[in-house]
Amino acid sequence: MPNPVEIRTLTGPDELPEWLRAVSTGFFRSPTVDDAEVAVRRQGMALDRTQGAYDAGRCVGTFRTTPQSMTVPGGAQLPACAVTNVTVSPTHRRRGLLTGMMANALDAAKERGDAFASLIAAEYPIYGRYGFGPAAWTTEWEVQVARTGLDRRYAGPADLGDDGSVELVDADGFRTLLPAVHERFRTGPQRQGAIDRDEKWWQVNTGALRFPGDGFGSPFHAVYRDADGQPQGGVTYTSDDVWRAKQPEQTVTVQDLFATTAAGEAALWRFVLAMDWVQRVRTGLRAPDDVLPLLLPDPRAARTVTHADWLWIRPLDVPRMLTARTYPAEGTLVLEVRDKNGYAGGRFKLEAAAGPRGGARCAATREDPELSLDVSELGALFLGDESAVRLATLGRLTEHRSGALERAELMFRTARRPWCPDVF
C-alpha cells in the first residue's frame, strides 16, 4: 500500500528548490530551477504560509499565501489572504491535495482575521467549490492606430488643453517616482479591486531583481506630471521590431498604465497611441469599462482580444466586509449566507446609508431572511460588479421578500466596474 501524501509547511529555505521545481512542473515550465532563481523567489516568501504536498520526499503539490491590502468600494482597505502558486503534479491529481491545502490556508486566514481570501484563477471551474466567486473581470484591446481617427500630429498634453507633461524615465527613476503615485491611485474611491504593491514587486517589474530565464524584457517607462510638475501617473510598455517591405509595423504592448487623474490617464494613452512607426497597440489587461475605447474618435479601432474573469474573492468575515464598503443607495437587507465550509455562513442584517460619506452596519440577526445565497455569490457581488438580478435569474440567489432583489441591485452595484491591475 503506498505511503500517504504528507501536507505541511516548509521547514526551511533548503526545501525551496524542490518546492519551486514542483511549481514549475505544475505550470508546465522547465523543471530545472537554479540557485539564482531560488535566491530571487525566496525574497518575501513566508515559509509558514508556504505549503507543500510530499510523497516519499518528493514535492507533488504547492500552495502559498501572502498578506494583501485590497481597495473596496468607497476607498477603504481590507486585509486579504492572497492565494498563489497553487499546483498539483499530474501524477497526483484527484487525491484531495488541493482541498487539504486550501483548508489549512483558510483556517489560518480566519484565525488571523483576514476579511476574505483572493486569487487569480488559472481555471474557472476549480475554485467555486471552495467558496470563491468571480468578483472582477478584465478586458484587453488591440488598437489599430491608423483607424482611431486621432490626429497623428499630436505633440503632447498641451494639444489636449493640459498643462502637464509626459517624460521618458529609466527603470531607477520609475521605481523611485511611481510607488507613491500608485498607492494614491489604488486607494481611490472608484478603484475597488486594486491591491498594494510591495518593494519586491517594483524591483521585479523594473528589472532590478532578476534571474536567468525569467522572461524579462527591458521595457520603456514614462511618467505623467501635472502642471505643478508632480508625478500623477505612469506607463510601462514594450515594442517589437517588425518591418515589411521597408515599412515599420511595430506593435506596442502596454504592461502597466495608471494615473490619479483623468487628465493623466488620457495623456498617457495619447502618448502611447501617437508614436511614429507604431501600427498596433495592445492595451494589456484593463478594467472592462476602461475609458480607452471612448477616447478614440472611432472606438471600433479598439478590438477586444480578451475578456475573462480575473479576481476571485472568498468571504471570511461578512460583517466586516459589508461594513467597510460604501453603497450608492440607502437600504436594509437581511441576507442568509450559506457556507458549507463554515467560515462565513449565517444570517446578517445590513443597514446602509447612501453615498461616499454614508456609513453601514452589518451584524448577525435572527430576523427572517430577505435574500439567500451561497458565500461564493456574495464574493461575486461584493466589489459591485455582479448583478443580484442576474444571479436570481440563474437560480443562484433567492428572494424571500418582494422588493429585496431590486434593493440589493441598487445597493451593491458601483458606478465603475472593479479592476485588479495585477496578477499574484
Side-chain angles (χ1 to χ4, degrees):
M1 183 175 181
N3 293 324
V5 177
E6 177 190 16
I7 294 175
R8 59 174 175 80
T9 57
L10 273 60
T11 59
D14 58 310
E15 291 190 311
L16 274 177
E18 169 65 12
W19 187 87
L20 288 170
R21 181 206 54 75
V23 171
S24 294
T25 298
F27 284 112
F28 292 92
R29 300 169 185 156
S30 171
T32 301
V33 179
D34 61 22
D35 291 343
E37 180 175 354
V38 173
V40 169
R41 294 197 182 277
R42 69 181 293 181
Q43 296 189 38
M45 286 184 64
L47 295 184
D48 62 348
R49 297 181 64 153
T50 304
Q51 299 182 69
Y54 291 88
D55 187 352
R58 182 177 178 83
C59 188
V60 295
T62 63
F63 193 110
R64 184 167 70 94
T65 70
T66 64
Q68 185 181 80
S69 174
M70 185 180 295
T71 304
V72 303
Q77 312 298 306
L78 281 180
C81 172
V83 175
T84 186
N85 294 144
V86 179
T87 73
V88 175
S89 294
T91 53
H92 287 71
R93 298 161 58 245
R94 309 297 185 263
R95 300 193 191 183
L97 301 185
L98 173 55
T99 297
M101 292 187 289
M102 180 69 77
N104 291 341
L106 295 181
D107 286 347
K110 183 72 173 179
E111 185 175 347
R112 279 193 306 268
D114 292 330
F116 50 85
S118 63
L119 55 81
I120 308 294
E123 296 181 65
Y124 194 102
I126 295 176
Y127 293 100
R129 66 180 183 267
Y130 301 115
F132 288 84
W137 291 58
T138 191
T139 303
E140 180 181 17
W141 289 272
E142 181 178 278
V143 182
Q144 299 291 330
V145 176
R147 296 180 56 190
T148 61
L150 294 172
D151 188 344
R152 296 304 297 270
R153 295 172 297 178
Y154 171 81
D159 287 357
L160 302 176
D162 178 3
D163 292 331
S165 63
V166 175
E167 63 176 301
L168 287 165
V169 296
D170 62 16
D172 289 341
F174 198 79
R175 190 168 55 250
T176 300
L177 292 171
L178 269 297
V181 179
H182 178 266
E183 187 65 11
R184 295 201 308 273
F185 157 78
R186 72 108 185 168
T187 55
Q190 294 294 337
R191 281 281 66 92
Q192 63 271 20
I195 61 175
D196 57 329
R197 294 175 173 178
D198 60 15
E199 175 62 22
K200 182 181 178 181
W201 188 98
W202 291 99
Q203 290 186 354
V204 168
N205 286 276
T206 56
L209 199 57
R210 296 191 55 186
F211 57 86
D214 60 7
F216 183 84
S218 297
F220 301 93
H221 305 281
V223 174
Y224 169 80
R225 295 181 183 270
D226 62 20
D228 296 323
Q230 297 302 308
Q232 299 292 358
V235 60
T236 298
Y237 62 94
T238 59
S239 179
D240 59 11
D241 185 17
V242 175
W243 290 72
R244 292 187 175 90
K246 202 65 172 61
Q247 296 292 329
E249 293 191 12
Q250 260 72 327
T251 296
V252 160
T253 299
V254 173
Q255 296 181 343
D256 195 24
L257 187 152
F258 61 89
T260 61
T261 65
E265 187 173 7
L268 290 169
W269 279 124
R270 286 295 281 116
F271 165 74
V272 171
L273 291 164
M275 295 180 193
D276 293 335
W277 295 9
V278 174
Q279 303 299 307
R280 288 167 296 277
V281 171
R282 295 291 291 252
T283 66
L285 298 175
R286 310 293 300 174
D289 62 347
D290 196 277
V291 300
L292 172 64
L294 297 183
L295 285 175
L296 310 178
D298 185 355
R300 294 181 185 178
R303 177 176 63 91
T304 300
V305 292
T306 301
H307 178 72
D309 60 285
W310 189 245
L311 174 71
W312 291 56
I313 282 180
R314 202 281 182 216
L316 295 171
D317 187 337
V318 173
R320 188 177 184 188
M321 291 172 63
L322 298 187
T323 300
R325 61 158 289 177
T326 59
Y327 298 85
E330 179 180 357
T332 300
L333 283 170
V334 179
L335 304 173
E336 182 83 53
V337 180
R338 300 182 297 270
D339 187 351
K340 65 180 181 180
N341 300 115
Y343 297 107
R347 191 173 298 173
F348 306 95
K349 184 175 184 178
L350 169 65
E351 300 172 281
R357 298 184 181 276
R361 293 184 298 175
C362 183
T365 183
R366 294 184 178 180
E367 294 184 29
D368 292 337
E370 298 176 295
L371 297 174
S372 59
L373 70 168
D374 189 81
V375 67
S376 61
E377 310 305 343
L378 181 61
L381 285 171
F382 175 60
L383 294 180
D385 197 50
E386 188 52 86
S387 162
V389 171
R390 185 162 77 159
L391 291 179
T393 302
L394 293 167
R396 299 176 184 176
L397 183 153
T398 303
E399 182 183 47
H400 302 286
R401 180 173 296 174
S402 179
L405 187 59
E406 287 76 9
R407 210 180 320 136
E409 184 75 10
L410 292 172
M411 291 173 66
F412 276 92
R413 295 298 285 270
T414 53
R416 294 294 302 271
R417 296 184 69 175
W419 176 44
C420 180
D422 297 300
V423 62
F424 56 89

